[in-house]
Amino acid sequence: MNIKPRRTLKGHQAKVLCSDWSPDKRHIVSSSQDGKMIIWDAFTTNKEHAVTMPTTWVMACAYAPSGNLVACGGLDNKVTVYPLSMEDDVTVKKKTVGTHTSYMSCCTFPNSDQQILTGSGDSTCALWDVESGQLLQSFHGHSADVMAIDLAPSETGNTFVSGSCDKMVLIWDMRSGQCVQSFEGHESDVNSVKFHPSGDAVATGSDDATCRLFDLRADKEVAIYSKESIIFGVNSVDFSVSGRLLFAGYNDYTVNVWDTLKCVRICLLYGHENRVSCLQVSPDGTALSTGSWDYTLRVWA
């Protein structure tokens, strides 16, 4: 595999905590412990917007499907939406959509700009209406902090998965608010969850230094991605477009690339100088972005 670091995005003054590719496959939003949210052009490495948040530790950020909005939040317990426009200052039209009783760890827009789904340290997930700020549905089932959520890849998209510090991985029905499936197996916090592109399985990354694959139809764990030499936790996982590769970012500053079928590591990406906190394959599958506690983001291809 010939994956190399192609770009380095420098500008954050502290640990990069979260990032998300824009639907236009060109821009990346990132958030950091310095209280900044930056919109980058991943090709030119230019910063198009830099927004100062009301709080440090902006743990979550996400692009809306239109590419015209970003959402973020963190230790302020809130999810705030920022419309992106070149004309005026992004902060002018910012809007608080929802508030949890503890920090917001993750957020995503389920299939439209109208709603936002959040996960929180208060052990719940919540679905909010962006326009009114109304709580549309809350999801109770975890017994500790929710660290990650991901939507099922279908257009109808009424299912999502969550991972938590209670070591559990739960599948939810967004309309009913019910947990429809649960998976155990991890021995420590689940930091990242990602649906396989087929929608039939979920990959997870955990502080127990393993990634795992849970099959929804078989209702069980079907693969574990680990090596004796890997003793550091996994912060973030994502699939290649085909689902054959699983990229995982670790606390030992590396990204491991796993063959999901053979359960072997096929590649190791070095470059960051501190833990890899977030990673994401671009929407068209041609690039991988990674964010790190070394204050930078890198784009690999």
Side-chain angles (χ1 to χ4, degrees):
M1 272 188 68
N2 188 28
I3 301 181
K4 292 193 174 72
R6 307 290 178 183
R7 299 282 187 273
T8 303
L9 308 180
K10 292 180 179 161
H12 281 297
Q13 305 296 311
K15 299 167 181 171
V16 177
L17 302 176
C18 187
S19 62
D20 192 26
W21 281 95
S22 163
D24 71 8
K25 316 176 193 57
R26 173 158 187 156
H27 293 88
I28 294 172
V29 60
S30 63
S31 64
S32 163
Q33 187 196 352
D34 62 9
K36 288 264 194 298
M37 178 176 71
I38 298 177
I39 308 275
W40 310 83
D41 182 321
F43 289 128
T44 64
T45 73
N46 288 342
K47 301 171 197 56
E48 296 196 354
H49 299 282
V51 182
T52 305
M53 296 290 137
T55 174
T56 55
W57 283 90
V58 188
M59 300 168 77
C61 59
Y63 257 104
S66 67
N68 300 327
L69 285 177
V70 287
C72 61
L75 287 190
D76 58 355
N77 303 359
K78 297 184 175 81
V79 58
T80 306
V81 170
Y82 292 80
L84 299 178
S85 72
M86 282 304 184
E87 289 78 73
D88 40 71
D89 177 16
V90 174
T91 50
V92 176
K93 297 198 171 122
K94 76 169 185 183
K95 182 169 180 191
T96 300
V97 172
T99 308
H100 280 277
T101 54
S102 181
Y103 67 90
M104 192 186 80
S105 57
C106 47
C107 62
T108 184
F109 288 85
N111 311 314
S112 83
D113 288 20
Q114 273 81 57
Q115 295 179 351
I116 191 155
L117 183 67
T118 55
S120 168
D122 64 16
S123 81
T124 70
C125 302
L127 182 66
W128 310 89
D129 182 80
V130 170
E131 196 52 46
S132 66
Q134 199 180 349
L135 175 64
L136 301 173
Q137 189 66 263
S138 59
F139 305 89
H140 299 268
H142 283 296
S143 57
D145 309 27
V146 175
M147 297 310 289
I149 51 178
D150 189 43
L151 299 165
S154 77
E155 281 68 64
T156 49
N158 288 305
T159 315
F160 73 94
V161 59
S162 60
S164 161
C165 294
D166 63 9
K167 311 175 194 170
M168 297 294 290
V169 176
L170 303 183
I171 309 285
W172 301 89
D173 182 318
M174 218 180 300
R175 288 168 298 188
S176 68
Q178 298 300 307
C179 172
V180 293
Q181 218 168 350
S182 67
F183 297 104
E184 55 191 355
H186 278 297
E187 286 153 33
S188 188
D189 303 7
V190 178
N191 295 323
S192 185
V193 289
K194 211 76 191 186
F195 265 97
H196 186 276
S198 66
D200 295 326
V202 169
T204 56
S206 163
D207 279 345
D208 66 13
T210 70
C211 300
R212 295 174 194 237
L213 190 67
F214 297 96
D215 188 296
L216 273 65
R217 291 176 296 186
D219 196 31
K220 64 174 200 274
E221 181 186 300
V222 289
I224 181 161
Y225 308 102
S226 63
K227 281 170 84 80
E228 269 176 28
S229 59
I230 300 175
I231 55 170
F232 289 89
V234 186
N235 290 314
S236 189
V237 295
D238 199 7
F239 284 102
S240 62
V241 167
S242 67
R244 182 64 192 262
L245 305 179
L246 183 69
F247 298 90
Y250 290 75
N251 283 342
D252 64 357
Y253 316 170
T254 63
V255 174
N256 284 306
V257 187
W258 298 93
D259 181 315
T260 55
L261 296 179
K262 294 181 179 167
C263 293
V264 293
R265 182 173 72 185
I266 48 179
C267 188
L268 191 54
L269 306 181
Y270 294 101
H272 282 296
E273 288 154 34
N274 205 324
R275 64 166 67 177
V276 179
S277 51
C278 52
L279 63 74
Q280 196 186 28
V281 173
S282 66
D284 58 1
T286 57
L288 172 76
S289 72
T290 55
S292 166
W293 281 19
D294 67 10
Y295 302 7
T296 71
L297 292 110
R298 285 166 205 249
V299 181
W300 312 71

